[in-house]
Amino acid sequence: MAVTPTVAKGAPGIPARWTSSAKSGVGTALSARSPLWFTTSHGILNEIYYPRLDSACTRDLGLIVTGPDGYFSEEKRDAAHAVEPFEDGVPGYRLTNTASDGAYKIEKRLVTDSKRPVLLQETSFTAIKGQAADYRVYALLAPHLVNAGMGNTAWIAEHKGERLLFATGRGVSLALASSLPWGACSAGYVGFSDGWRQLHDSCALDPSCHTAEDGNVALTGEIGFSAGKTVALLALGFGASPEEAADLALASLKQGFEPAAKTYVDNWRTFQARLEKLDRRAASGLNTYRASTAVLATHLSVARPGAAVASLSIPWGFNKGDDDLGGYHLVWPRDLVETAGGFLAAGDGRQALQILAYLRSIQQPDGHWPQNVWSDGTAYWPGIQMDECAFPLLLADALRRAGHLPKSKLADFLAMIENAAAYVVRNGPVTGEDRWEEDAGYSPFTLAVEIAGLLAAADMLDACGKNEPANYLRETADCWNDQIERWTFVTGTEAGAKAGVEGYYVRIAPPDDGGAASPKDGFVPIKNRPPADTDEPAEAIISPDALALVRFGLRAADDPRILNTVKAIDAELRCDLPQGPLWYRYTGDGYGEHEDGSPFDGTGQGRPWPLLAGERAHYELAAGRKDKAAQLLETFERSAGVGGLLPEQVWDRPDMPDRELWLGKPSGSAMPLVWAHAEHIKLLRSLRDGAVFDLPPQGVERYIKGKTVSPLRTWRFNNKIRAIPAGKLLRVELSAPGVVHWSSDKWLTVQDSRTVENAFGIHLVDLPVNRLQPGTTIVFTFFWPEAMRWENVDFTVAIDQPNGQ
């Protein structure tokens, strides 16, 4: 009897959700003709990205097996999973899923077609119990086109004589074809009439469900396995129209798996062959170095060379819907520079230079970089993080020192360098947000990047004959470097007593407040905590971020203040796990699962970050303890998940199998974290070289060896200092021409000092107060000649004892 196709029931379906972030593999064809990226976990395909790597277009594609007596098995939930790459550093995958009840085995091979945006999955089904004819195998596809699980339309139709499964949404379409003709098929609404529910409830698909419009939809098709045909090739094509997607899928199907796999493998072999030989074999047999280099390359854009996203995963995705845009699918300038550093450490200076060119293209007119951007360069979150504004300067200088940016090429980046340096000197040292996207203030990490970045920019300006601006950058760097301890080092605290140390560097000190004697006396809001549990004293919050002072060359690894801080970090933040010690981001961190293992939902509890073991290993290497650094490398690598992918965080509590949380194993946060893989590559390079690979030399020469001390302190409207040590000049910096009207004897005598504009658009004047005695107070105001008006507010700066910072 003929069945009239109807629209499935249950529109629009249950609210859409993404899937697990615990990826076991990520891959792409390294081909401009194939703008397609895929991820795997739990033995199946997860998000597939097209036409940009920030546009997820599927939730997952897995198989369901039915059999006699109502048998129902879903491979992602009801099977044991094994994954292995085709070969070292080639992210094509063999997935083997063996049913937990021993009924069947499914084997897959996955690649993308280098000639077109098509994902190819070769699938074989083997019955372990009974005969193959006892079972039916169905493909279940959840379209989430262009980052949206809602608003999709799915249907079954013929195209050029072939039956295909289609979906469309937000201007993108997909088509799923099979080398073995589809049997029964359906298109339904998730949670009501989708194929999973139909098969679960009745072991059959409803043949009338051929269309599901404008909702959270799913496509299901029976793969035509038979006694003589146990291997099927699925081709999932993407295009601007259903017809284009179908044509591409059928073309790949006709070509077959082997030719596509050969080109795919050849592309990756070519990429891997030009890299440094830092290969390292883990106990599992995985080449961890090649796994990391493949992760870095897989996260690169095709349309915008040099762009790379932070992770092809959605942290706690199973708990997130369409309103959770952006996040790890964005380009973060900090992560991007770290990624470039990974490429540089691996010997791929060309790719690192391409990243610098991309950074140049997304720099804002005022010289800063956005907190994050879509891969096409469109800014997303509005925050400004000063380390992200300085990091590109360090990358440019690293490329220059490595010979990839000779003077002739450096000139092409000069405007970027000058604008970035100008932004940093005008707006630092306080950052609007620290590197964890959270708090404003004086961060040791951000300060280290800013100061090292200014010194790097100065060297590059010198190389281009711009000596006067270069000298100003060094003067500013020196001035800020002198005050790091005044801003961020505390003594006599409860945490210090507990750790048995006199003092330590805090995670961040809030911006200067007129009511506080020092930023360190203020309070820091702890993000991701319940409203009643946020503000904490700055002195109570410890973080491994302070190790950046060593990593970027501003303080010696054996500086007593650093040594004490390391003790405080270990007392407060070290977590001993089966693989070795890892560290938390900072005291009271709320970014992670709740205590009961439920997913982060805006609040939670921070978990240990493997990345921080890499940073600690670099500190140990800087301190001359190569053996400790090597041990931490082992810990770092043993924190990886299936397939060698490094997670953002690992679980630090007893096992919770029902939540897929195991002690020392990846939590539900991002995986892979590209930044962690870049750090892994840099650590391998650093250990081989016997020195920290990305340590900028300028600070070491200037502050650790040269003991340079600044002769001045700077006052600005965005950094109104209240005191300076005796013997220092007072530099006043303004954003417009001004006359400083000042006195050192309570207005009995007055001096007027006119500002001069420098190369960075800063109007400055040095007040000769270096001979004034401690206890003196300088009082001043401003006359603005362009507006012909007075400021009408008096400002004061006290002269302290000369050893005051």
Side-chain angles (χ1 to χ4, degrees):
M1 186 177 87
V3 176
T4 305
T6 60
V7 174
K9 295 180 174 59
I14 62 173
R17 291 289 180 265
W18 292 96
T19 189
S20 170
S21 59
K23 307 308 178 193
S24 59
V26 292
T28 190
L30 293 183
S31 165
R33 289 192 288 171
S34 182
L36 201 69
W37 297 259
F38 70 91
T39 66
T40 68
S41 82
H42 298 79
I44 68 169
L45 280 158
N46 285 162
E47 296 98 350
I48 300 171
Y49 298 80
Y50 166 88
R52 301 186 338 203
L53 75 176
D54 51 21
S55 295
C57 286
T58 66
R59 180 186 191 272
D60 53 20
L61 170 59
L63 303 182
I64 292 174
V65 179
T66 64
D69 303 319
Y71 182 81
F72 176 93
S73 179
E74 186 178 11
E75 60 173 342
K76 75 176 179 184
R77 289 189 174 92
D78 304 321
H81 314 300
V83 57
E84 61 174 323
F86 281 5
E87 59 186 65
D88 289 348
V90 177
Y93 298 98
R94 295 183 189 86
L95 306 181
T96 304
N97 300 328
T98 306
S100 303
D101 59 11
Y104 63 83
K105 181 168 72 171
I106 294 169
E107 294 171 285
K108 306 175 186 176
R109 290 194 295 165
L110 297 172
V111 296
T112 53
D113 188 339
S114 304
K115 295 179 180 177
R116 49 188 78 86
V118 179
L119 186 289
L120 291 170
Q121 175 178 297
E122 182 192 71
T123 308
S124 72
F125 177 82
T126 304
I128 299 174
K129 291 180 179 176
Q131 305 298 314
D134 296 337
Y135 301 94
R136 293 176 182 268
V137 182
Y138 299 85
L140 176 63
L141 171 63
H144 275 218
L145 288 158
V146 194
N147 295 329
M150 304 304 292
N152 292 293
T153 293
W155 69 99
I156 315 298
E158 287 206 357
H159 178 78
K160 296 182 178 177
E162 299 287 341
R163 201 170 185 217
L164 283 83
L165 283 59
F166 289 95
T168 191
R170 293 195 180 186
V172 170
S173 296
L174 60 78
L176 180 61
S178 172
S179 63
L180 299 180
W182 292 114
C185 295
S186 88
Y189 294 102
V190 175
F192 294 94
S193 53
D194 61 275
W196 187 96
R197 184 156 297 280
Q198 293 175 33
L199 292 168
H200 183 268
D201 293 349
S202 64
C203 282
L205 294 180
D206 181 348
S208 70
C209 291
H210 269 222
T211 304
E213 299 174 341
D214 192 20
N216 180 12
V217 300
L219 286 157
T220 312
E222 182 187 350
I223 302 171
F225 289 121
S226 62
K229 295 180 178 178
T230 58
V231 179
L233 180 58
L234 301 183
L236 181 56
F238 294 82
S241 68
E243 294 76 18
E244 181 186 13
D247 284 340
L248 292 168
L250 292 174
S252 285
L253 211 55
K254 184 178 179 182
Q255 174 190 257
F257 187 85
E258 294 301 340
K262 182 180 186 308
T263 307
Y264 186 96
V265 170
D266 287 346
N267 285 353
W268 278 98
R269 284 176 177 167
T270 300
F271 164 74
Q272 295 286 2
R274 67 172 184 253
L275 302 182
E276 290 278 335
K277 306 251 181 315
L278 303 174
D279 298 73
R280 174 180 163 80
R281 191 86 44 194
S284 64
L286 187 75
N287 187 323
T288 59
Y289 168 61
R290 299 294 172 174
S292 284
T293 55
V295 167
L296 262 60
T298 298
H299 285 75
L300 288 167
S301 171
V302 169
R304 287 294 297 269
V309 297
S311 177
L312 290 173
S313 73
I314 300 172
W316 301 286
F318 54 85
N319 198 47
K320 293 183 178 178
D322 291 354
D323 56 349
D324 205 294
L325 288 171
Y328 290 71
H329 300 159
L330 297 165
V331 179
W332 303 76
R334 174 193 314 101
D335 294 55
L336 190 55
V337 171
E338 299 284 8
T339 300
F343 279 116
L344 198 54
D348 194 347
R350 184 180 62 83
Q351 185 58 62
L353 190 58
Q354 208 164 54
I355 288 173
L356 186 68
Y358 172 79
L359 283 163
R360 177 180 59 188
S361 77
I362 65 167
Q363 186 182 30
Q364 303 300 289
D366 66 357
H368 88 277
W369 274 272
Q371 182 177 2
N372 48 38
V373 299
W374 295 103
S375 60
D376 67 0
T378 306
Y380 187 58
W381 285 353
I384 293 181
Q385 301 174 0
M386 294 302 294
D387 67 317
E388 291 195 311
C389 301
F391 256 128
L393 295 170
L394 291 174
L395 174 58
D397 191 54
L399 285 162
R400 178 184 71 90
R401 289 184 284 104
H404 301 293
L405 205 57
K407 190 173 179 181
S408 56
K409 275 190 182 175
L410 185 61
D412 296 338
F413 291 91
L414 185 58
M416 181 202 87
I417 292 163
E418 288 180 309
N419 289 341
Y423 188 86
V424 173
V425 294
R426 283 199 309 267
N427 295 280
V430 168
T431 184
E433 290 180 350
D434 65 337
R435 71 164 171 166
W436 305 121
E437 330 293 339
E438 294 178 358
D439 289 315
Y442 296 94
S443 153
F445 184 92
T446 303
L447 287 165
V449 180
E450 287 176 315
I451 293 165
L454 292 181
L455 294 179
D459 279 7
M460 290 184 283
L461 291 182
D462 270 343
C464 295
K466 300 204 167 194
N467 308 114
E468 195 172 325
N471 288 338
Y472 171 75
L473 295 183
R474 292 191 185 99
E475 288 173 352
T476 302
D478 294 348
C479 182
W480 292 355
N481 181 67
D482 271 5
Q483 297 176 85
I484 289 172
E485 283 70 33
R486 182 176 80 81
W487 290 324
T488 67
F489 192 82
V490 296
T491 56
T493 70
E494 190 178 320
K498 180 179 161 188
V501 298
E502 180 186 342
Y504 50 83
Y505 294 96
V506 298
R507 172 202 164 206
I508 194 165
D512 295 77
D513 176 3
S518 157
K520 297 173 295 193
D521 296 334
F523 284 78
V524 173
I526 305 291
K527 299 297 174 69
N528 307 316
R529 302 291 292 177
D533 184 24
T534 55
D535 284 9
E536 294 288 340
E539 67 174 31
I541 307 170
I542 297 169
S543 171
D545 286 7
L547 297 183
L549 297 170
V550 177
R551 182 74 172 262
F552 295 102
L554 308 188
R555 299 292 181 269
D558 61 355
D559 184 310
R561 296 164 298 196
I562 292 290
L563 294 176
N564 281 343
T565 301
V566 168
K567 289 178 185 173
I569 290 167
D570 286 348
E572 182 82 5
L573 302 171
R574 175 173 164 144
C575 178
D576 290 308
L577 293 164
Q579 64 265 46
L582 294 181
W583 286 265
Y584 300 97
R585 293 194 302 175
Y586 56 82
T587 311
D589 183 12
Y591 181 57
E593 281 89 353
H594 290 269
E595 192 62 29
D596 64 359
S598 58
F600 173 76
D601 55 6
T603 65
Q605 186 171 323
R607 307 294 167 184
W609 286 54
L611 163 71
L612 298 176
E615 292 187 353
R616 178 60 173 266
H618 273 108
Y619 166 74
E620 297 295 344
L621 187 60
R625 295 185 287 271
K626 189 174 182 180
D627 56 337
K628 278 198 174 181
Q631 287 170 8
L632 283 167
L633 170 64
E634 296 270 0
T635 300
F636 195 3
E637 292 182 343
R638 285 199 293 265
S639 301
V642 179
L645 302 187
L646 291 166
E648 182 180 64
Q649 302 176 46
V650 300
W651 184 240
D652 57 352
R653 309 295 297 159
D655 295 350
M656 292 188 181
D658 57 320
R659 297 216 184 252
E660 297 191 351
L661 295 170
W662 289 273
L663 180 64
K665 300 296 185 185
S667 72
S669 57
M671 185 166 82
L673 184 65
V674 179
W675 180 4
H677 283 280
E679 181 73 1
H680 175 241
I681 294 166
K682 287 190 274 190
L683 182 54
L684 289 170
R685 176 67 182 267
S686 297
L687 284 166
R688 189 198 74 178
D689 295 352
V692 177
F693 172 74
D694 57 358
L695 173 66
Q698 293 92 345
V700 175
E701 291 299 320
R702 195 166 186 87
Y703 305 129
I704 297 174
K705 295 181 181 176
K707 312 282 187 201
T708 300
V709 175
S710 173
L712 53 86
R713 291 290 179 268
T714 302
W715 186 99
R716 299 176 178 173
F717 276 95
N718 69 341
N719 189 23
K720 298 172 187 158
I721 60 172
R722 292 179 292 279
I724 64 172
K728 305 286 186 187
L729 297 169
L730 178 62
R731 173 168 288 179
V732 176
E733 296 188 342
L734 307 173
S735 58
V739 176
V740 184
H741 186 70
W742 63 284
S743 172
S744 60
D745 55 11
K746 300 179 181 178
W747 298 118
L748 292 175
T749 59
V750 176
Q751 298 186 54
D752 286 333
S753 301
R754 185 177 293 271
T755 63
V756 176
E757 185 177 8
N758 72 4
F760 299 104
I762 294 169
H763 300 263
L764 61 87
V765 62
D766 291 341
L767 305 185
V769 300
N770 49 320
R771 296 186 183 279
L772 296 179
Q773 294 300 308
T776 306
T777 296
I778 306 154
V779 58
F780 56 95
T781 188
F782 302 102
F783 179 73
W784 306 104
E786 288 183 346
M788 291 300 290
R789 67 173 181 83
W790 287 90
E791 182 68 20
N792 287 330
V793 176
D794 286 351
F795 304 93
T796 60
V797 173
I799 305 292
D800 281 349
Q801 294 296 328
N803 59 354
Q805 294 171 323

